[in-house]
Amino acid sequence: ELIRKPFRTCKLLLLLVSFHVCIFVFAVFETIATPMMRDDFGLSVRDAGLMFSFAGIVALGGFVLLRLLSIFISERVLLPSGWILLILSMGGFLRLLGELDLIRFTLALALLSATYPCVQILIFVIYSRVVGDSLQGVFMGVLTAVGSLARIFGPLYATGMWSLWGTTNLVFIGVALMMVAVLAFTIALVPWLPGKPPKMSSSEKEVSVSVSVPAANDADADEQATHANVVEGNDNDNVV
């Protein structure tokens, strides 16, 4: 049914590509982050572990902030904003604007850690709304498979580019260009992406409950009437 609706299919494809790029970005970063910290800043494996622990704490703070923002701002607005922040975090790792020091690296790492999980969750939410009630399990499985492919191709891309060119600039530039393309298509489709479902008030909930209960009682009454007719028919047959 979803495939027969071209515009909805277009939105699903955009969200699948967005999810792939989102996972791809983090897979690329986590592949080369430890070598960067070791070669560029002289950090030990223990120090690199502490940096990633710091990134995890920042990510938790990002989840809390997203929960607060989603109360007042629609996910359709938060998603493009998240992509912009991810692009800015990639720019923080580039050496084109000068030598990359530990402070700028830490700030870019914090921005990436706070933004990446939020973008991932926003894509999940909007994708689920586009799919609707039909075939949720199948299409969420497709989304997960797309993310798994990104986990495979991300490290291959990062190590291949670094081995060929010996610099991380091209790695992050390539990833940033992917996100810019996704951002452009996302902004183009923002007006047609589903927003939050309206919340039901307490009175509306009571009305829905009062309407649904008689419907169930009517169904039971119909079933009892049908059973009575069958029994009556059998009794008439016996009389004849």
Side-chain angles (χ1 to χ4, degrees), residues 107-130:
L107 292 176
L109 172 63
L111 184 59
L112 172 66
S113 302
T115 310
Y116 156 75
C118 296
V119 172
Q120 182 181 0
I121 292 299
L122 290 169
I123 294 173
F124 261 115
V125 171
I126 298 176
Y127 180 85
S128 178
R129 290 176 184 165
V130 173

Side-chain angles (χ1 to χ4, degrees), residues 140-164:
M140 295 306 290
V142 172
L143 185 69
T144 305
V146 168
S148 299
L149 289 176
R151 301 288 299 183
I152 296 173
F153 294 131
L156 295 177
Y157 166 82
T159 55
M161 292 290 287
W162 201 356
S163 300
L164 288 175

Side-chain angles (χ1 to χ4, degrees), residues 61-77:
F63 279 124
V64 175
L65 181 61
L66 176 64
R67 178 67 182 89
L68 296 176
L69 291 176
S70 63
I71 299 175
F72 307 100
I73 305 175
S74 172
E75 289 86 355
R76 294 180 295 181
V77 178

Side-chain angles (χ1 to χ4, degrees), residues 8 23 25 61 118 120 158 184 196 205:
R8 182 176 292 185
I23 303 297
V25 168
C118 296
Q120 182 181 0
K196 292 182 179 180
K205 291 180 180 179

Side-chain angles (χ1 to χ4, degrees), residues 22-79:
C22 180
I23 303 297
F24 185 89
V25 168
F26 192 77
V28 167
F29 174 75
E30 68 179 359
T31 301
I32 62 176
T34 300
M36 283 182 64
M37 287 186 277
R38 181 191 61 214
D39 298 340
D40 296 344
F41 310 118
L43 300 182
S44 63
V45 176
R46 175 179 173 274
D47 294 333
L50 292 176
M51 290 288 285
F52 280 113
S53 299
F54 162 74
I57 296 173
V58 172
L60 293 176
F63 279 124
V64 175
L65 181 61
L66 176 64
R67 178 67 182 89
L68 296 176
L69 291 176
S70 63
I71 299 175
F72 307 100
I73 305 175
S74 172
E75 289 86 355
R76 294 180 295 181
V77 178
L78 291 175
L79 181 57

Side-chain angles (χ1 to χ4, degrees), residues 94-114:
L94 295 176
R95 293 178 172 85
L96 300 178
L97 303 178
E99 188 63 27
L100 179 63
D101 55 13
L102 185 58
I103 295 177
R104 182 151 66 95
F105 179 86
T106 304
L107 292 176
L109 172 63
L111 184 59
L112 172 66
S113 302

Side-chain angles (χ1 to χ4, degrees), residues 14 75-77 79-80 183-195:
L14 170 65
E75 289 86 355
R76 294 180 295 181
V77 178
L79 181 57
L183 174 63
F185 284 107
T186 302
I187 292 176
L189 283 178
V190 157
W192 292 276
L193 293 176

